[in-house]
Amino acid sequence: MRVLITVFILLLTGLSFSLLAVSPSGGKHRPATGSGDTLRKANRSQDSNLIPDPAFCSGLRNTAFNAGEILTYTVYYGLSKLSLAAGEASFTTKLERFDHKDVYHVIGEGKTYNFEDKFFRVRDRYESYIDTLTLQPYKFIRDVDEGGYKTKENVTFVKNANTAITNTGVYKVPDCIQDVLSAIFYARNIDFSQHKPGDKIPFYMFLDRQVYPLYIRYLGKETIRTHYGKFRTIKFKPLLVKGTMFEGGEKMTVWVTDDPNHIAVRIESPITVGKVLVDMSYYRNLRYPLSSLIDL
């Protein structure tokens, strides 16, 4: 079930969730070239709304999560009125030292259940080392094993040179850059009270040797019931990059808790056949009480 790959990557993108639509083996890789200013100018010509606010990039501080946090999600594949729990993804956060700096070491893992392994086995592991003060990544590791497709990626971000050093070369990146995992924790700290429904919140992400200008569109607040319980939530749609399972655009919907934790409790998207539903199923060591939970 190729869809699970996309969903796991989607989860590992966190509140940005946008690059979930990029198949790890699909599409052409185009290296990011030029300075951060050059990248901004190039992207500005496409959509001026996709240039991150410098204050947003430099002024964001972590108020949403603690080291020791654990989150687990169940992935459901739906066709008509039927749904099948086909796999899960988990995230753990640790406080460590990296290159003489305090960092959050975030680990994301995705796997299919045993019965799905017979059709398409997934065992993915993602890691990011994120500065505790700036929430910018220093290192990103991806170890993917998906139905016979295997790849390993190791990226080091050199902030004073605006570069990303990968297995295959050195690439220019903007000042304010995120990887697949760091984006989820970075975006959890967005102050949605400063935005109105319809607003775009832009950011840059580096994946597969390319810089992506992305955004999430804030839609407002909504009360929903998931497989876990009933929640007050914040709702938004990410910009999806066209891939093998998604058509691109704003067809995916994400709901995060309307409390200071801002954890995703549901992700839903149509796919080529049926839809994907991802629900939070377990949490531990949240920074704040889960006050958005109304009942189980």
Side-chain angles (χ1 to χ4, degrees):
M1 294 185 63
R2 185 74 179 177
V3 61
L4 288 175
I5 301 173
T6 309
V7 172
F8 289 141
I9 299 174
L10 175 156
L11 274 173
L12 296 176
T13 321
L15 295 190
S16 59
F17 295 111
S18 310
L19 281 189
L20 287 243
V22 178
S23 170
S25 59
K28 295 181 179 179
H29 299 299
R30 296 182 301 277
T33 58
S35 66
D37 287 341
T38 302
L39 286 168
R40 289 191 188 91
K41 290 176 182 177
N43 289 326
R44 185 177 295 113
S45 66
Q46 297 172 17
D47 187 341
S48 60
N49 292 326
L50 296 185
I51 307 304
D53 183 344
F56 176 79
C57 293
S58 62
L60 206 63
R61 295 294 181 267
N62 176 35
T63 60
F65 62 90
N66 276 333
E69 180 186 84
I70 300 173
L71 296 171
T72 302
Y73 293 82
T74 301
V75 181
Y76 300 88
Y77 171 67
L79 185 62
S80 186
K81 295 182 179 180
L82 301 176
S83 63
L84 173 69
E88 70 177 28
S90 64
F91 304 88
T92 60
T93 305
K94 304 176 183 179
L95 185 62
E96 296 181 3
R97 296 281 289 177
F98 178 83
D99 196 21
H100 309 293
K101 301 179 181 68
D102 289 330
V103 298
Y104 295 114
H105 181 194
V106 180
I107 301 171
E109 296 179 291
K111 66 179 182 180
T112 44
Y113 291 146
N114 289 338
F115 63 89
E116 284 295 339
D117 283 351
K118 299 177 182 179
F119 304 99
F120 199 97
R121 184 178 186 272
V122 173
R123 295 293 185 275
D124 289 353
R125 181 181 174 91
Y126 293 69
E127 298 180 60
S128 184
Y129 295 81
I130 306 167
D131 189 283
T132 57
L133 293 178
T134 65
L135 296 181
Q136 295 288 302
Y138 289 120
K139 193 174 188 65
F140 172 67
I141 301 170
R142 180 170 62 146
D143 190 352
V144 169
D145 181 356
E146 301 166 344
Y149 171 80
K150 297 182 180 181
T151 186
K152 291 186 178 181
E153 183 181 11
N154 194 316
V155 181
T156 299
F157 295 97
V158 183
K159 297 301 180 181
N160 59 4
N162 280 51
T163 58
I165 304 174
T166 75
N167 310 52
T168 58
V170 179
Y171 301 85
K172 278 292 186 179
V173 296
D175 295 332
C176 187
I177 192 71
Q178 295 296 325
D179 63 45
V180 173
L181 260 186
S182 67
I184 182 172
F185 294 88
Y186 186 78
R188 282 175 61 181
N189 288 279
I190 294 172
D191 183 359
F192 287 96
S193 69
Q194 300 301 309
H195 296 276
K196 62 182 184 298
D199 280 355
K200 292 179 181 179
I201 305 171
F203 64 98
Y204 287 123
M205 181 180 289
F206 183 79
L207 180 66
D208 284 340
R209 307 187 294 270
Q210 184 170 342
V211 174
Y212 290 88
L214 302 171
Y215 65 81
I216 61 176
R217 186 186 296 277
Y218 173 56
L219 298 180
K221 299 185 178 184
E222 184 177 12
T223 298
I224 66 167
R225 179 170 291 280
T226 72
H227 286 85
Y228 188 93
K230 188 176 182 180
F231 291 92
R232 290 184 296 272
T233 69
I234 296 167
K235 181 180 180 181
F236 60 83
K237 286 183 176 291
L239 172 66
L240 296 179
V241 179
K242 187 174 182 179
T244 57
M245 294 302 300
F246 297 102
E247 297 179 4
E250 298 181 16
K251 295 190 176 181
M252 180 179 292
T253 307
V254 180
W255 292 264
V256 303
T257 56
D258 187 13
D259 58 39
N261 298 294
H262 285 173
I263 63 172
V265 291
R266 168 158 288 184
I267 308 159
E268 184 176 319
S269 179
I271 55 175
T272 305
V273 178
K275 69 176 181 179
V276 170
L277 187 68
V278 183
D279 275 3
M280 187 274 292
S281 56
Y282 174 82
Y283 67 89
R284 183 178 178 183
N285 296 331
L286 298 183
R287 183 164 182 166
Y288 307 96
L290 195 61
S291 58
S292 60
L293 178 61
I294 298 172
D295 62 61
L296 297 175

